Amino acid sequence: MNLMYHSTRNSNIRATASQAILQGLSPDGGLFVPESIPQLTKSIDELAGMNYRELAYEVLSLYLTDYTQEEIKDCISKAYDHKFDSPDIAPLYKAGGVHYLELFHGATIAFKDMALSILPHLLTTAARKNNISDEIVILTATSGDTGKAALAGFADVEGTKIIVFYPKDGVSSVQEKQMVTQKGDNTYVIGIRGNFDDAQTGVKKIFGDKDLEERMSKAGYRFSSANSINIGRLLPQIIYYFHSYVELYRRKEIIEGEHINFVVPTGNFGNILAAYYAKQMGLPVGKLICASNDNKVLFDFFQTGVYDRKREFILTISPSMDILVSSNLERLLYHIAGDDASKTKELMEALSSRGRYEITPDMRKNLEDFVGGYATINETSATIHKVYTEAKYVIDTHTAVATSVYEKYIDKDKDRVKTVIVATASPYKFAESVLNAIGIKELPNDDYEQAVLLREISGIEIPVAVEEIHRAEIRHKIVCETDEMKTEVEEILKII
Ligand SMILES: *Cc1c(COP(=O)(O)O)cnc(C)c1O
């Protein structure tokens, strides 16, 4: 039997896995969720005999029930290959008594590679299965890392075009260079004068534009999304939670069934939601610690049950988490409301009309798995410094938010459960902030020279991704206002 997906805002809008992946966002603006969360019935001991690709198959085959076995295996082997510079795909590194799950060994050295290296294959397979001959246009808003990971995933993938919008002044210089040097005839990168939320709102608006959709369809195009609102982004992220548990088991750090905690540096709530799904599938997980930076809207939500986006947007040194509307939280709301689509719809309408909502006491009770925490810019820097001096391990600014939150958590709660900190980016991606935090005086201005300095300090080779942009030519130069985003899309697709 097929596992069906439906909208978080209307249970009557249903889709198979491949249809949900193709559509990205549900037509009513909701997000696709599985009608039930499948259980992984294999024992940890059995899973311990598997490599990353085999484990990926175990997880994905439970969700992608309208894909054939061969299709799923084909997507997996195209995604998790030598693009990753570690045979483990997602290695665990022990430092200072905790384990770091390094999700930055893919093409763009940030965790979004974990899902975006497979999404293009899931999507083109889905198009084939559903007899879609339209060209798929991926439209993406990025706070820095999604954009590059999506561009790398989709570049020159036949039957697709990809258009990425990013906040011109809201990403790191390495992030921007990575994007504007992207090769591939089907890639388009545009800076906007606004922040990430403006970019995301603009993209959502374009997705919801019926008139545009009709004109696109006449011209042989259809939109899809590579943002973490696409269920095809979320599902591959479940894999590495199982992988890290199994790896701890293989290392005899834990016994089968022992609970572990995860600390996840959070922005759009996609990564930590995948951990929640892993727990619901039967993985022995204790607390899910949701770490925010100064944009601590999620921390406040876990404290009070009120989500309030009406606040100042703060630019931090962890830009991929500078987000005030965490889109994937909608999926969690749906589940903690007891899979109640009308309740979710009501809350989402309140968010868009009043900028805030409050969940019910019953829903709050279902949030017990979560702990919210946040770290300021200063705390983040101090943590990078501390981990470097005490453990000789260099972490990036996003991972440092998680470490700082974790340290505050164990100080207060004395929870001694084994913990995995999810390391979401390579320090090379945020070299300037990392070097500053370590206390290097007189930094060179040039990104590459900073990377060379970081190599001396960390002893870790400069990743290929950084070597590449060092020499690459800038191919994308357009910058537009937020209200010009639609026109830019029309011009690219020549449907004015
Ligand atoms: C995207 C990103 C995050 C936030 O992940 P979400 O799934 O959006 O919560 C954290 N760290 C880095 C480096 C990222 O790129």
Side-chain angles (χ1 to χ4, degrees), residues 319-449:
S320 302
M321 297 160 64
D322 290 346
I323 289 175
L324 293 181
V325 181
S326 301
S327 302
N328 264 296
L329 191 64
E330 177 169 348
R331 288 191 166 107
L332 182 67
L333 294 177
Y334 170 84
H335 293 303
I336 60 170
D339 292 3
D340 184 341
S342 56
K343 182 70 194 171
T344 314
K345 180 165 192 246
E346 175 197 314
L347 296 174
M348 286 302 114
E349 279 170 359
L351 182 66
S352 91
S353 61
R354 292 192 289 281
R356 80 190 284 281
Y357 60 78
E358 176 163 14
I359 61 172
T360 64
D362 279 345
M363 288 173 77
R364 279 194 78 180
K365 268 196 218 116
N366 292 335
L367 280 181
E368 274 171 354
D369 294 341
F370 288 89
V371 178
Y374 75 99
T376 63
I377 294 176
N378 285 342
E379 287 170 328
T380 306
S381 287
T383 301
I384 293 172
H385 187 265
K386 178 166 179 250
V387 174
Y388 173 68
T389 16
E390 289 177 5
K392 286 286 162 281
Y393 182 54
V394 180
I395 55 177
D396 97 291
T397 48
H398 302 76
T399 310
V401 169
T403 306
S404 172
V405 165
Y406 175 63
E407 289 184 344
K408 284 193 267 187
Y409 169 71
I410 49 173
D411 272 353
K412 190 163 144 273
D413 284 71
K414 311 284 179 237
D415 179 350
R416 287 292 175 264
V417 170
K418 284 252 161 62
T419 296
V420 170
I421 293 178
V422 177
T424 49
S426 159
Y428 278 101
K429 199 151 191 175
F430 303 94
E432 185 170 6
S433 302
V434 169
L435 288 165
N436 275 327
I438 288 177
I440 307 298
K441 305 271 176 324
E442 292 171 41
L443 278 194
N445 274 328
D446 180 70
D447 296 331
Y448 190 74
E449 284 171 37

Side-chain angles (χ1 to χ4, degrees), residues 23-34:
Q23 288 177 45
L25 198 65
S26 163
D28 64 340
L31 311 187
F32 283 110
V33 278

Side-chain angles (χ1 to χ4, degrees), residues 110-112 145 265-271 320-321 323 396 398 424-425:
F111 100 92
K112 292 182 178 70
D145 290 337
T266 297
N268 226 352
F269 210 75
N271 203 359
S320 302
M321 297 160 64
I323 289 175
D396 97 291
H398 302 76
T424 49

